[in-house]
Amino acid sequence: MIRKIKKDDYEKCYKIIHDCIKFMKWNKETKSKLKRKYTLRRIKKMAEKSNFFVYENGKKVLASGRLEGNTIYTIYVDPKYHRNGIGTAMIKQLEKLAKSKKINKVKLYAIKTAIGFYRKMGYKYKNKDSELMEKRI
């Protein structure tokens, strides 16, 4: 089930995001930058200023995602649950929300390891020299 984030979820999202950072094969600098970006305080601020959602199975939070304006951010799925359709469900939910807000094109910044996933979801690069991908909805 996908639902709006609650205060009780902040620490759970923090753990998922930081588990993903550890799991990914990024250099130390990138990992350090992301760890600084996703502090508990910043997650709280993100939740307050955007449409922040979690994917919950039973009582366990397994993923996060948010929509701010026409941009999708913070798509993180617990590494133990990758390839179970959770990321797809989250993206679809955020696209549906964007549509309801009369947004006809969404964008996101893709990391190398997620490019194939986003392409399958219909996203295309805005230009070759950018991590920015977009999709008409």
Side-chain angles (χ1 to χ4, degrees):
M1 169 180 87
I2 296 175
R3 61 168 175 77
K4 289 281 273 184
I5 194 169
K6 297 186 261 183
K7 288 180 184 179
D8 293 351
D9 299 323
Y10 297 163
E11 284 189 36
K12 296 169 190 171
C13 286
Y14 173 89
K15 183 176 179 346
I16 289 167
I17 292 167
H18 284 257
D19 285 351
C20 286
I21 292 167
K22 285 181 208 167
F23 177 79
M24 294 300 178
K25 295 174 182 165
W26 296 324
N27 63 44
K28 285 183 182 181
E29 183 182 327
T30 300
K31 287 184 177 191
S32 181
K33 181 181 170 186
L34 286 169
K35 285 178 184 178
R36 285 191 309 271
K37 180 179 180 180
Y38 291 106
T39 63
L40 269 174
R41 195 170 121 237
R42 285 194 173 166
I43 289 169
K44 180 184 180 210
K45 283 186 177 187
M46 290 173 193
E48 291 169 352
K49 75 174 192 172
S50 63
N51 295 286
F52 203 131
F53 292 87
V54 295
Y55 182 100
E56 184 179 59
N57 187 358
K59 296 264 182 200
K60 186 170 173 94
V61 172
L62 302 178
S64 68
R66 67 188 181 96
L67 179 70
E68 189 173 331
N70 69 335
T71 307
I72 293 173
Y73 295 101
T74 322
I75 300 293
Y76 286 96
V77 177
D78 184 324
K80 295 181 287 254
Y81 296 90
H82 282 187
R83 302 195 178 274
N84 283 295
I86 296 169
T88 299
M90 183 62 75
I91 292 287
K92 286 181 179 180
Q93 176 69 28
L94 296 171
E95 289 174 350
K96 183 178 172 184
L97 175 63
K99 259 187 182 174
S100 76
K101 294 178 175 289
K102 309 292 187 228
I103 295 169
N104 62 7
K105 187 188 286 185
V106 290
K107 60 184 179 178
L108 52 80
Y109 294 89
I111 59 170
K112 287 181 184 179
T113 56
I115 292 168
F117 166 72
Y118 291 126
R119 281 190 173 145
K120 285 179 188 174
M121 297 288 303
Y123 286 82
K124 295 180 177 155
Y125 277 109
K126 186 167 179 152
N127 65 54
K128 290 182 202 175
D129 301 324
S130 171
E131 297 171 333
L132 180 65
M133 298 181 86
E134 59 186 14
K135 176 182 175 182
R136 284 208 174 278
I137 54 173

